[in-house]
Amino acid sequence: MNSKKKFAVVLAGSGVYDGSEIHEATLALYAISKNGGEYEIFAPNIDQYHVINHITGEEMAEKRNVLVEAARIARGNIKDLKEFDANNYDAILFPGGFGVAKNLCTFAFKGPDCDVNPDVETALKAMHDAGKPIGALCIAPALIVKVLGKVEVTIGQDAVTAEAITSLGATHMNTGHGEIVFDKENKIVTTPCYMLDATIAQIGEGAENVVKTLMDL
């Protein structure tokens, strides 16, 4: 295993209902560091689709910026995704959370007909074209499928989401806690995380299994 693998981690805000899932993001960063890798964190400089009160689940009458909110998780050390250069990284990783399906793309609202943020699409295609590994947790594999098409992924066992993914030409594999799907041809590694009813320990296991697999590629 190359201990100096450098990851780009792309966030979608801060908080499961309108941004990045904080446990998944944090434990992915932990797994990278624990296993000898390095990371830089990115997010698009755009408005969130909306802001959700994480106690009530209700929409709040305010606006927040995806990059500014993601900076909370990054402890301020974050870059605008427009600055991303695939030449500088060995792998790219997308934690989950509804923000992936609301801010990075519109899968939460339009399903297979969703739009993808241009900076996200550019970054993903650049890494794929360079033959570099891509990781995705939770709902983030749906984003990967929308951009790259005929790949093999998992979002766990949710039939409706899996059907949307297969309608885009991808192959979906059902998985349990901590399990990964490795698309060897496209170097894509995915795991369900909170798409299943998971504990934080199971999230950590899934994130680490993805990171370790990416590092070995």
Side-chain angles (χ1 to χ4, degrees):
M1 183 174 68
N2 183 347
S3 62
K4 296 182 180 179
K5 287 285 178 73
K6 189 168 186 180
F7 284 69
V9 179
V10 182
L11 299 183
S14 179
V16 58
Y17 299 125
D18 58 12
S20 284
E21 209 298 312
I22 295 172
H23 297 167
E24 292 174 7
T26 303
L27 288 166
L29 298 175
Y30 172 73
I32 293 167
S33 181
K34 177 186 174 184
N35 289 283
E38 300 174 334
Y39 60 77
E40 286 191 340
I41 304 172
F42 293 86
N45 186 11
I46 56 174
D47 285 339
Q48 289 183 190
Y49 176 82
H50 59 191
V51 179
I52 298 295
N53 181 320
H54 276 60
I55 297 175
T56 65
E58 295 176 358
E59 190 169 345
M60 300 172 69
E62 60 179 88
K63 283 190 174 183
R64 297 188 187 182
N65 176 280
V66 171
L67 179 61
V68 172
E69 292 301 296
R72 294 173 179 270
I73 298 173
R75 296 172 57 86
N77 189 9
I78 194 167
K79 293 180 178 179
D80 186 334
L81 190 58
K82 283 187 185 300
E83 299 177 27
F84 176 79
D85 183 346
N87 294 317
N88 296 332
Y89 302 92
D90 299 300
I92 192 167
L93 178 61
F94 290 80
F98 279 106
V100 174
K102 292 177 177 179
N103 303 327
L104 303 191
C105 69
T106 55
F107 186 84
F109 313 110
K110 297 183 179 179
D113 297 322
C114 67
D115 303 305
V116 177
N117 173 272
D119 297 331
V120 173
E121 184 167 5
T122 297
L124 262 174
K125 285 183 174 177
M127 290 297 278
H128 187 253
D129 290 347
K132 294 184 176 181
I134 296 165
L137 314 181
C138 193
I139 192 61
L143 169 68
I144 310 302
V145 167
K146 179 62 180 180
V147 175
L148 300 181
K150 295 183 178 180
V151 297
E152 186 174 311
V153 300
T154 186
I155 49 83
Q157 301 168 16
D158 183 80
V160 174
T161 308
E163 184 179 357
I165 283 172
T166 56
S167 75
L168 289 167
T171 301
H172 179 268
M173 305 291 289
N174 282 350
T175 49
H177 296 297
E179 294 181 344
I180 64 166
V181 165
F182 173 32
D183 179 339
K184 188 177 293 186
E185 182 180 349
N186 292 289
K187 295 185 180 179
I188 295 170
V189 188
T190 54
T191 194
C193 286
Y194 278 121
M195 286 296 289
L196 302 174
D197 185 13
T199 65
I200 193 169
Q202 289 165 332
I203 299 307
E205 181 186 8
E208 185 157 24
N209 288 341
V210 168
V211 166
K212 283 183 173 179
T213 305
L214 293 171
M215 282 185 165
D216 285 339
L217 297 178

